[in-house]
């Protein structure tokens, strides 16, 4: 019994000594410099949840053919995981549900007249390189791939594909692009802003004999996101 008590005491003293040497762990109030240089141990490790506001619109050569175009204010939410290389660099993959789109009248849509919101629901997977240029402030940049899961034009939900040429155009089910932004951290919480530019056309396979002569296919996604995040594990 005495040996067990002595062993427990030694373990407790060892744990306390390690904690004093390393400081608080990732996601806490510890700074990056609390970790040994030249090692993979970093405060930029762990996973968590995030979500926030999205201001979505579109850009491209055919934007001029849409009337009364405007920003669609909506939201996004998901999870992230972060893998630190050192006290400066890490990789952060994410999985996000992103509701986005744009406002405006589409001259190719004969079933919906006037200005309305085109809603596009995506499952997004950004993979970001994170660089801590200040102790608790970082820049994020990296590629993003998005899968379109749902389309709603005004009050009407429609198929992504144009089966049997019902609509005269279809939506591109895959988008890819580049995301870049800034993030600040306070303990396990984080707040940030990001702009994402899509490189793939939103609309494709337009049949001009059905929709009229104004082309609408050369438009691409663009959105600005502001988010809050919370680290769950580090």
């Amino acid at each position: 019994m005495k040996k067990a008590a002595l062993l427990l005491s030694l373990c407790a003293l060892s744990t306390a000594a390690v904690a004093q040497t390393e400081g608080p762990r990732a996601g806490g109030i510890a700074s990056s410099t609390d970790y040994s240089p030249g090692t993979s141990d970093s405060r930029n490790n762990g996973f968590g949840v995030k979500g926030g506001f999205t201001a979505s619109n579109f850009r491209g050569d055919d934007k001029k053919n849409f009337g009364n175009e405007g920003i669609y204010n909506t939201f996004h939410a998901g999870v992230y995981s972060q893998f630190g290389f050192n006290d400066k660099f890490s990789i952060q993959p994410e999985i996000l549900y992103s509701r986005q789109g744009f406002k405006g009248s589409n001259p190719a849509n004969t079933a919906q007249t006037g200005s309305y919101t085109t809603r596009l629901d995506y499952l997004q997977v950004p993979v970001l390189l994170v660089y801590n240029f200040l102790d608790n402030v970082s820049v994020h940049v990296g590629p993003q791939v998005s899968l379109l899961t749902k389309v709603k034009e005004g009050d009407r939900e429609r198929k992504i594909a144009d089966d049997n040429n019902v609509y005269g155009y279809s939506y591109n089910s895959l988008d890819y692009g580049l995301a870049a932004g800034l993030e600040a951290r306070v303990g396990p919480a984080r707040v940030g802003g990001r702009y994402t530019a899509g490189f793939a056309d939103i609309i494709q396979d337009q049949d001009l004999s059905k929709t009229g002569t104004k082309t609408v296919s050369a438009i691409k996604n663009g959105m600005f996101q502001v988010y809050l995040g919370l680290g769950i594990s580090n």
Side-chain angles (χ1 to χ4, degrees), residues 25-95:
R25 303 307 296 165
I29 60 173
S31 69
S32 300
T33 53
D34 288 324
Y35 296 89
S36 300
T39 69
S40 62
D41 196 7
S42 168
R43 70 187 300 269
N44 301 319
N45 282 301
F47 67 91
V49 296
K50 61 179 296 187
F53 167 78
T54 299
S56 178
N57 204 344
F58 65 112
R59 67 190 200 287
D61 294 339
D62 287 345
K63 183 174 182 177
K64 61 183 182 299
N65 293 332
F66 288 76
N68 303 313
E69 65 89 13
I71 294 173
Y72 177 31
N73 296 319
T74 178
F75 70 95
H76 66 282
V79 296
Y80 68 88
S81 185
Q82 198 166 4
F83 304 94
F85 301 128
N86 50 47
D87 61 353
K88 291 293 184 182
F89 288 98
S90 59
I91 288 289
Q92 181 172 303
E94 302 176 356
I95 300 177

